[in-house]
Amino acid sequence: MSDIQGYVIVHKETGERFGDCYDSIGGAKSSWCHAFRSEWRVTAKLRHLAKTKFDAQSEFVIKPLVILESSK
């Protein structure tokens, strides 16, 4: 059995996480846009994504954060 605990934004190739854990997919997308509006939160290697909506980029994906229950 598994339980979705939230959603995280991860880089497709490296698996590096961007930001926090979010309650919903919409929350993750909103946080993405907010991070690029307040540039102090964005590293230099991601500046090329500035002013890009989440759905308009192809480097990152949103994945569910799942806790798996072990069967004993």
mmCIF file with all atom_site columns, all heavy atoms in Angstrom, residues 24-44:
data_model
loop_
_atom_site.group_PDB
_atom_site.id
_atom_site.type_symbol
_atom_site.label_atom_id
_atom_site.label_alt_id
_atom_site.label_comp_id
_atom_site.label_asym_id
_atom_site.label_entity_id
_atom_site.label_seq_id
_atom_site.pdbx_PDB_ins_code
_atom_site.Cartn_x
_atom_site.Cartn_y
_atom_site.Cartn_z
_atom_site.occupancy
_atom_site.B_iso_or_equiv
_atom_site.pdbx_formal_charge
_atom_site.auth_seq_id
_atom_site.auth_comp_id
_atom_site.auth_asym_id
_atom_site.auth_atom_id
_atom_site.pdbx_PDB_model_num
ATOM 1   N N   . SER A 1 24 ? -0.068 20.071 -3.663  1.00 0.00 ? 24 SER A N   1
ATOM 2   C CA  . SER A 1 24 ? -0.769 19.761 -4.908  1.00 0.00 ? 24 SER A CA  1
ATOM 3   C C   . SER A 1 24 ? 0.123  20.077 -6.106  1.00 0.00 ? 24 SER A C   1
ATOM 4   O O   . SER A 1 24 ? 1.126  20.786 -5.981  1.00 0.00 ? 24 SER A O   1
ATOM 5   C CB  . SER A 1 24 ? -2.051 20.593 -5.015  1.00 0.00 ? 24 SER A CB  1
ATOM 6   O OG  . SER A 1 24 ? -1.720 21.971 -5.134  1.00 0.00 ? 24 SER A OG  1
ATOM 7   N N   . ILE A 1 25 ? -0.257 19.567 -7.251  1.00 0.00 ? 25 ILE A N   1
ATOM 8   C CA  . ILE A 1 25 ? 0.470  19.865 -8.487  1.00 0.00 ? 25 ILE A CA  1
ATOM 9   C C   . ILE A 1 25 ? 0.347  21.355 -8.799  1.00 0.00 ? 25 ILE A C   1
ATOM 10  O O   . ILE A 1 25 ? 1.323  21.998 -9.185  1.00 0.00 ? 25 ILE A O   1
ATOM 11  C CB  . ILE A 1 25 ? -0.054 18.997 -9.645  1.00 0.00 ? 25 ILE A CB  1
ATOM 12  C CG1 . ILE A 1 25 ? 0.316  17.536 -9.392  1.00 0.00 ? 25 ILE A CG1 1
ATOM 13  C CG2 . ILE A 1 25 ? 0.504  19.470 -10.982 1.00 0.00 ? 25 ILE A CG2 1
ATOM 14  C CD1 . ILE A 1 25 ? -0.293 16.550 -10.359 1.00 0.00 ? 25 ILE A CD1 1
ATOM 15  N N   . GLY A 1 26 ? -0.831 21.912 -8.602  1.00 0.00 ? 26 GLY A N   1
ATOM 16  C CA  . GLY A 1 26 ? -1.040 23.347 -8.834  1.00 0.00 ? 26 GLY A CA  1
ATOM 17  C C   . GLY A 1 26 ? -0.171 24.195 -7.921  1.00 0.00 ? 26 GLY A C   1
ATOM 18  O O   . GLY A 1 26 ? 0.368  25.221 -8.338  1.00 0.00 ? 26 GLY A O   1
ATOM 19  N N   . GLY A 1 27 ? -0.007 23.763 -6.684  1.00 0.00 ? 27 GLY A N   1
ATOM 20  C CA  . GLY A 1 27 ? 0.851  24.477 -5.745  1.00 0.00 ? 27 GLY A CA  1
ATOM 21  C C   . GLY A 1 27 ? 2.303  24.456 -6.186  1.00 0.00 ? 27 GLY A C   1
ATOM 22  O O   . GLY A 1 27 ? 3.022  25.447 -6.052  1.00 0.00 ? 27 GLY A O   1
ATOM 23  N N   . ALA A 1 28 ? 2.744  23.337 -6.724  1.00 0.00 ? 28 ALA A N   1
ATOM 24  C CA  . ALA A 1 28 ? 4.117  23.229 -7.223  1.00 0.00 ? 28 ALA A CA  1
ATOM 25  C C   . ALA A 1 28 ? 4.330  24.186 -8.398  1.00 0.00 ? 28 ALA A C   1
ATOM 26  O O   . ALA A 1 28 ? 5.338  24.883 -8.467  1.00 0.00 ? 28 ALA A O   1
ATOM 27  C CB  . ALA A 1 28 ? 4.410  21.790 -7.645  1.00 0.00 ? 28 ALA A CB  1
ATOM 28  N N   . LYS A 1 29 ? 3.368  24.227 -9.299  1.00 0.00 ? 29 LYS A N   1
ATOM 29  C CA  . LYS A 1 29 ? 3.488  25.115 -10.467 1.00 0.00 ? 29 LYS A CA  1
ATOM 30  C C   . LYS A 1 29 ? 3.476  26.577 -10.044 1.00 0.00 ? 29 LYS A C   1
ATOM 31  O O   . LYS A 1 29 ? 4.228  27.390 -10.581 1.00 0.00 ? 29 LYS A O   1
ATOM 32  C CB  . LYS A 1 29 ? 2.364  24.842 -11.464 1.00 0.00 ? 29 LYS A CB  1
ATOM 33  C CG  . LYS A 1 29 ? 2.508  23.512 -12.166 1.00 0.00 ? 29 LYS A CG  1
ATOM 34  C CD  . LYS A 1 29 ? 1.360  23.279 -13.130 1.00 0.00 ? 29 LYS A CD  1
ATOM 35  C CE  . LYS A 1 29 ? 1.464  21.924 -13.806 1.00 0.00 ? 29 LYS A CE  1
ATOM 36  N NZ  . LYS A 1 29 ? 0.390  21.713 -14.782 1.00 0.00 ? 29 LYS A NZ  1
ATOM 37  N N   . SER A 1 30 ? 2.641  26.927 -9.081  1.00 0.00 ? 30 SER A N   1
ATOM 38  C CA  . SER A 1 30 ? 2.594  28.308 -8.586  1.00 0.00 ? 30 SER A CA  1
ATOM 39  C C   . SER A 1 30 ? 3.907  28.699 -7.925  1.00 0.00 ? 30 SER A C   1
ATOM 40  O O   . SER A 1 30 ? 4.414  29.798 -8.129  1.00 0.00 ? 30 SER A O   1
ATOM 41  C CB  . SER A 1 30 ? 1.457  28.482 -7.582  1.00 0.00 ? 30 SER A CB  1
ATOM 42  O OG  . SER A 1 30 ? 0.219  28.329 -8.207  1.00 0.00 ? 30 SER A OG  1
ATOM 43  N N   . SER A 1 31 ? 4.467  27.791 -7.150  1.00 0.00 ? 31 SER A N   1
ATOM 44  C CA  . SER A 1 31 ? 5.733  28.062 -6.481  1.00 0.00 ? 31 SER A CA  1
ATOM 45  C C   . SER A 1 31 ? 6.853  28.239 -7.496  1.00 0.00 ? 31 SER A C   1
ATOM 46  O O   . SER A 1 31 ? 7.733  29.076 -7.327  1.00 0.00 ? 31 SER A O   1
ATOM 47  C CB  . SER A 1 31 ? 6.071  26.933 -5.514  1.00 0.00 ? 31 SER A CB  1
ATOM 48  O OG  . SER A 1 31 ? 7.272  27.219 -4.854  1.00 0.00 ? 31 SER A OG  1
ATOM 49  N N   . TRP A 1 32 ? 6.829  27.451 -8.560  1.00 0.00 ? 32 TRP A N   1
ATOM 50  C CA  . TRP A 1 32 ? 7.805  27.568 -9.655  1.00 0.00 ? 32 TRP A CA  1
ATOM 51  C C   . TRP A 1 32 ? 7.778  28.992 -10.197 1.00 0.00 ? 32 TRP A C   1
ATOM 52  O O   . TRP A 1 32 ? 8.820  29.638 -10.299 1.00 0.00 ? 32 TRP A O   1
ATOM 53  C CB  . TRP A 1 32 ? 7.452  26.560 -10.742 1.00 0.00 ? 32 TRP A CB  1
ATOM 54  C CG  . TRP A 1 32 ? 8.187  26.737 -12.032 1.00 0.00 ? 32 TRP A CG  1
ATOM 55  C CD1 . TRP A 1 32 ? 7.842  27.547 -13.076 1.00 0.00 ? 32 TRP A CD1 1
ATOM 56  C CD2 . TRP A 1 32 ? 9.400  26.091 -12.418 1.00 0.00 ? 32 TRP A CD2 1
ATOM 57  N NE1 . TRP A 1 32 ? 8.753  27.432 -14.075 1.00 0.00 ? 32 TRP A NE1 1
ATOM 58  C CE2 . TRP A 1 32 ? 9.727  26.549 -13.705 1.00 0.00 ? 32 TRP A CE2 1
ATOM 59  C CE3 . TRP A 1 32 ? 10.233 25.166 -11.800 1.00 0.00 ? 32 TRP A CE3 1
ATOM 60  C CZ2 . TRP A 1 32 ? 10.850 26.093 -14.389 1.00 0.00 ? 32 TRP A CZ2 1
ATOM 61  C CZ3 . TRP A 1 32 ? 11.345 24.730 -12.485 1.00 0.00 ? 32 TRP A CZ3 1
ATOM 62  C CH2 . TRP A 1 32 ? 11.642 25.185 -13.753 1.00 0.00 ? 32 TRP A CH2 1
ATOM 63  N N   . CYS A 1 33 ? 6.600  29.487 -10.534 1.00 0.00 ? 33 CYS A N   1
ATOM 64  C CA  . CYS A 1 33 ? 6.468  30.840 -11.089 1.00 0.00 ? 33 CYS A CA  1
ATOM 65  C C   . CYS A 1 33 ? 6.930  31.892 -10.083 1.00 0.00 ? 33 CYS A C   1
ATOM 66  O O   . CYS A 1 33 ? 7.624  32.838 -10.439 1.00 0.00 ? 33 CYS A O   1
ATOM 67  C CB  . CYS A 1 33 ? 5.032  31.109 -11.514 1.00 0.00 ? 33 CYS A CB  1
ATOM 68  S SG  . CYS A 1 33 ? 4.520  30.116 -12.926 1.00 0.00 ? 33 CYS A SG  1
ATOM 69  N N   . HIS A 1 34 ? 6.578  31.716 -8.820  1.00 0.00 ? 34 HIS A N   1
ATOM 70  C CA  . HIS A 1 34 ? 6.973  32.662 -7.784  1.00 0.00 ? 34 HIS A CA  1
ATOM 71  C C   . HIS A 1 34 ? 8.495  32.697 -7.611  1.00 0.00 ? 34 HIS A C   1
ATOM 72  O O   . HIS A 1 34 ? 9.084  33.761 -7.451  1.00 0.00 ? 34 HIS A O   1
ATOM 73  C CB  . HIS A 1 34 ? 6.307  32.316 -6.455  1.00 0.00 ? 34 HIS A CB  1
ATOM 74  C CG  . HIS A 1 34 ? 6.712  33.210 -5.352  1.00 0.00 ? 34 HIS A CG  1
ATOM 75  N ND1 . HIS A 1 34 ? 6.344  34.537 -5.282  1.00 0.00 ? 34 HIS A ND1 1
ATOM 76  C CD2 . HIS A 1 34 ? 7.498  32.984 -4.271  1.00 0.00 ? 34 HIS A CD2 1
ATOM 77  C CE1 . HIS A 1 34 ? 6.876  35.081 -4.214  1.00 0.00 ? 34 HIS A CE1 1
ATOM 78  N NE2 . HIS A 1 34 ? 7.579  34.159 -3.574  1.00 0.00 ? 34 HIS A NE2 1
ATOM 79  N N   . ALA A 1 35 ? 9.134  31.537 -7.656  1.00 0.00 ? 35 ALA A N   1
ATOM 80  C CA  . ALA A 1 35 ? 10.591 31.466 -7.481  1.00 0.00 ? 35 ALA A CA  1
ATOM 81  C C   . ALA A 1 35 ? 11.314 32.248 -8.563  1.00 0.00 ? 35 ALA A C   1
ATOM 82  O O   . ALA A 1 35 ? 12.303 32.922 -8.297  1.00 0.00 ? 35 ALA A O   1
ATOM 83  C CB  . ALA A 1 35 ? 11.054 30.013 -7.489  1.00 0.00 ? 35 ALA A CB  1
ATOM 84  N N   . PHE A 1 36 ? 10.820 32.193 -9.771  1.00 0.00 ? 36 PHE A N   1
ATOM 85  C CA  . PHE A 1 36 ? 11.483 32.901 -10.857 1.00 0.00 ? 36 PHE A CA  1
ATOM 86  C C   . PHE A 1 36 ? 11.136 34.385 -10.890 1.00 0.00 ? 36 PHE A C   1
ATOM 87  O O   . PHE A 1 36 ? 11.826 35.171 -11.521 1.00 0.00 ? 36 PHE A O   1
ATOM 88  C CB  . PHE A 1 36 ? 11.205 32.235 -12.203 1.00 0.00 ? 36 PHE A CB  1
ATOM 89  C CG  . PHE A 1 36 ? 12.020 30.986 -12.384 1.00 0.00 ? 36 PHE A CG  1
ATOM 90  C CD1 . PHE A 1 36 ? 11.465 29.740 -12.167 1.00 0.00 ? 36 PHE A CD1 1
ATOM 91  C CD2 . PHE A 1 36 ? 13.350 31.065 -12.720 1.00 0.00 ? 36 PHE A CD2 1
ATOM 92  C CE1 . PHE A 1 36 ? 12.222 28.591 -12.317 1.00 0.00 ? 36 PHE A CE1 1
ATOM 93  C CE2 . PHE A 1 36 ? 14.124 29.928 -12.870 1.00 0.00 ? 36 PHE A CE2 1
ATOM 94  C CZ  . PHE A 1 36 ? 13.548 28.684 -12.659 1.00 0.00 ? 36 PHE A CZ  1
ATOM 95  N N   . ARG A 1 37 ? 10.070 34.773 -10.198 1.00 0.00 ? 37 ARG A N   1
ATOM 96  C CA  . ARG A 1 37 ? 9.780  36.206 -10.057 1.00 0.00 ? 37 ARG A CA  1
ATOM 97  C C   . ARG A 1 37 ? 10.669 36.831 -8.993  1.00 0.00 ? 37 ARG A C   1
ATOM 98  O O   . ARG A 1 37 ? 11.068 37.972 -9.117  1.00 0.00 ? 37 ARG A O   1
ATOM 99  C CB  . ARG A 1 37 ? 8.305  36.420 -9.720  1.00 0.00 ? 37 ARG A CB  1
ATOM 100 C CG  . ARG A 1 37 ? 7.453  36.494 -10.977 1.00 0.00 ? 37 ARG A CG  1
ATOM 101 C CD  . ARG A 1 37 ? 6.048  36.868 -10.647 1.00 0.00 ? 37 ARG A CD  1
ATOM 102 N NE  . ARG A 1 37 ? 5.304  35.599 -10.650 1.00 0.00 ? 37 ARG A NE  1
ATOM 103 C CZ  . ARG A 1 37 ? 4.295  35.309 -9.884  1.00 0.00 ? 37 ARG A CZ  1
ATOM 104 N NH1 . ARG A 1 37 ? 3.845  36.172 -9.011  1.00 0.00 ? 37 ARG A NH1 1
ATOM 105 N NH2 . ARG A 1 37 ? 3.700  34.154 -9.961  1.00 0.00 ? 37 ARG A NH2 1
ATOM 106 N N   . SER A 1 38 ? 10.965 36.098 -7.956  1.00 0.00 ? 38 SER A N   1
ATOM 107 C CA  . SER A 1 38 ? 11.883 36.588 -6.921  1.00 0.00 ? 38 SER A CA  1
ATOM 108 C C   . SER A 1 38 ? 13.229 35.902 -7.165  1.00 0.00 ? 38 SER A C   1
ATOM 109 O O   . SER A 1 38 ? 13.526 34.870 -6.589  1.00 0.00 ? 38 SER A O   1
ATOM 110 C CB  . SER A 1 38 ? 11.348 36.280 -5.525  1.00 0.00 ? 38 SER A CB  1
ATOM 111 O OG  . SER A 1 38 ? 11.042 34.912 -5.404  1.00 0.00 ? 38 SER A OG  1
ATOM 112 N N   . GLU A 1 39 ? 14.031 36.451 -8.055  1.00 0.00 ? 39 GLU A N   1
ATOM 113 C CA  . GLU A 1 39 ? 15.236 35.813 -8.574  1.00 0.00 ? 39 GLU A CA  1
ATOM 114 C C   . GLU A 1 39 ? 16.256 35.395 -7.523  1.00 0.00 ? 39 GLU A C   1
ATOM 115 O O   . GLU A 1 39 ? 17.117 34.576 -7.797  1.00 0.00 ? 39 GLU A O   1
ATOM 116 C CB  . GLU A 1 39 ? 15.908 36.719 -9.609  1.00 0.00 ? 39 GLU A CB  1
ATOM 117 C CG  . GLU A 1 39 ? 15.141 36.802 -10.894 1.00 0.00 ? 39 GLU A CG  1
ATOM 118 C CD  . GLU A 1 39 ? 15.922 37.534 -11.976 1.00 0.00 ? 39 GLU A CD  1
ATOM 119 O OE1 . GLU A 1 39 ? 17.161 37.562 -11.898 1.00 0.00 ? 39 GLU A OE1 1
ATOM 120 O OE2 . GLU A 1 39 ? 15.285 38.071 -12.868 1.00 0.00 ? 39 GLU A OE2 1
ATOM 121 N N   . TRP A 1 40 ? 16.190 35.935 -6.327  1.00 0.00 ? 40 TRP A N   1
ATOM 122 C CA  . TRP A 1 40 ? 17.158 35.557 -5.303  1.00 0.00 ? 40 TRP A CA  1
ATOM 123 C C   . TRP A 1 40 ? 17.083 34.087 -4.944  1.00 0.00 ? 40 TRP A C   1
ATOM 124 O O   . TRP A 1 40 ? 18.013 33.510 -4.423  1.00 0.00 ? 40 TRP A O   1
ATOM 125 C CB  . TRP A 1 40 ? 16.990 36.423 -4.058  1.00 0.00 ? 40 TRP A CB  1
ATOM 126 C CG  . TRP A 1 40 ? 15.639 36.304 -3.423  1.00 0.00 ? 40 TRP A CG  1
ATOM 127 C CD1 . TRP A 1 40 ? 14.546 37.053 -3.713  1.00 0.00 ? 40 TRP A CD1 1
ATOM 128 C CD2 . TRP A 1 40 ? 15.228 35.375 -2.418  1.00 0.00 ? 40 TRP A CD2 1
ATOM 129 N NE1 . TRP A 1 40 ? 13.471 36.655 -2.945  1.00 0.00 ? 40 TRP A NE1 1
ATOM 130 C CE2 . TRP A 1 40 ? 13.875 35.634 -2.143  1.00 0.00 ? 40 TRP A CE2 1
ATOM 131 C CE3 . TRP A 1 40 ? 15.881 34.376 -1.722  1.00 0.00 ? 40 TRP A CE3 1
ATOM 132 C CZ2 . TRP A 1 40 ? 13.158 34.900 -1.205  1.00 0.00 ? 40 TRP A CZ2 1
ATOM 133 C CZ3 . TRP A 1 40 ? 15.151 33.650 -0.784  1.00 0.00 ? 40 TRP A CZ3 1
ATOM 134 C CH2 . TRP A 1 40 ? 13.808 33.929 -0.539  1.00 0.00 ? 40 TRP A CH2 1
ATOM 135 N N   . ARG A 1 41 ? 15.965 33.431 -5.244  1.00 0.00 ? 41 ARG A N   1
ATOM 136 C CA  . ARG A 1 41 ? 15.810 32.006 -4.926  1.00 0.00 ? 41 ARG A CA  1
ATOM 137 C C   . ARG A 1 41 ? 16.309 31.090 -6.035  1.00 0.00 ? 41 ARG A C   1
ATOM 138 O O   . ARG A 1 41 ? 16.342 29.884 -5.883  1.00 0.00 ? 41 ARG A O   1
ATOM 139 C CB  . ARG A 1 41 ? 14.340 31.688 -4.660  1.00 0.00 ? 41 ARG A CB  1
ATOM 140 C CG  . ARG A 1 41 ? 13.815 32.329 -3.404  1.00 0.00 ? 41 ARG A CG  1
ATOM 141 C CD  . ARG A 1 41 ? 12.406 31.926 -3.132  1.00 0.00 ? 41 ARG A CD  1
ATOM 142 N NE  . ARG A 1 41 ? 12.297 30.476 -2.961  1.00 0.00 ? 41 ARG A NE  1
ATOM 143 C CZ  . ARG A 1 41 ? 11.161 29.816 -2.942  1.00 0.00 ? 41 ARG A CZ  1
ATOM 144 N NH1 . ARG A 1 41 ? 10.020 30.454 -3.066  1.00 0.00 ? 41 ARG A NH1 1
ATOM 145 N NH2 . ARG A 1 41 ? 11.133 28.515 -2.787  1.00 0.00 ? 41 ARG A NH2 1
ATOM 146 N N   . VAL A 1 42 ? 16.699 31.652 -7.170  1.00 0.00 ? 42 VAL A N   1
ATOM 147 C CA  . VAL A 1 42 ? 17.052 30.842 -8.325  1.00 0.00 ? 42 VAL A CA  1
ATOM 148 C C   . VAL A 1 42 ? 18.557 30.900 -8.560  1.00 0.00 ? 42 VAL A C   1
ATOM 149 O O   . VAL A 1 42 ? 19.135 31.974 -8.594  1.00 0.00 ? 42 VAL A O   1
ATOM 150 C CB  . VAL A 1 42 ? 16.294 31.328 -9.571  1.00 0.00 ? 42 VAL A CB  1
ATOM 151 C CG1 . VAL A 1 42 ? 16.688 30.522 -10.782 1.00 0.00 ? 42 VAL A CG1 1
ATOM 152 C CG2 . VAL A 1 42 ? 14.794 31.250 -9.350  1.00 0.00 ? 42 VAL A CG2 1
ATOM 153 N N   . THR A 1 43 ? 19.174 29.743 -8.746  1.00 0.00 ? 43 THR A N   1
ATOM 154 C CA  . THR A 1 43 ? 20.612 29.701 -8.999  1.00 0.00 ? 43 THR A CA  1
ATOM 155 C C   . THR A 1 43 ? 20.923 30.157 -10.420 1.00 0.00 ? 43 THR A C   1
ATOM 156 O O   . THR A 1 43 ? 20.056 30.142 -11.297 1.00 0.00 ? 43 THR A O   1
ATOM 157 C CB  . THR A 1 43 ? 21.161 28.273 -8.808  1.00 0.00 ? 43 THR A CB  1
ATOM 158 O OG1 . THR A 1 43 ? 20.544 27.413 -9.760  1.00 0.00 ? 43 THR A OG1 1
ATOM 159 C CG2 . THR A 1 43 ? 20.900 27.771 -7.401  1.00 0.00 ? 43 THR A CG2 1
ATOM 160 N N   . ALA A 1 44 ? 22.164 30.534 -10.631 1.00 0.00 ? 44 ALA A N   1
ATOM 161 C CA  . ALA A 1 44 ? 22.593 31.036 -11.939 1.00 0.00 ? 44 ALA A CA  1
ATOM 162 C C   . ALA A 1 44 ? 22.366 30.013 -13.050 1.00 0.00 ? 44 ALA A C   1
ATOM 163 O O   . ALA A 1 44 ? 22.012 30.384 -14.168 1.00 0.00 ? 44 ALA A O   1
ATOM 164 C CB  . ALA A 1 44 ? 24.059 31.444 -11.882 1.00 0.00 ? 44 ALA A CB  1
#
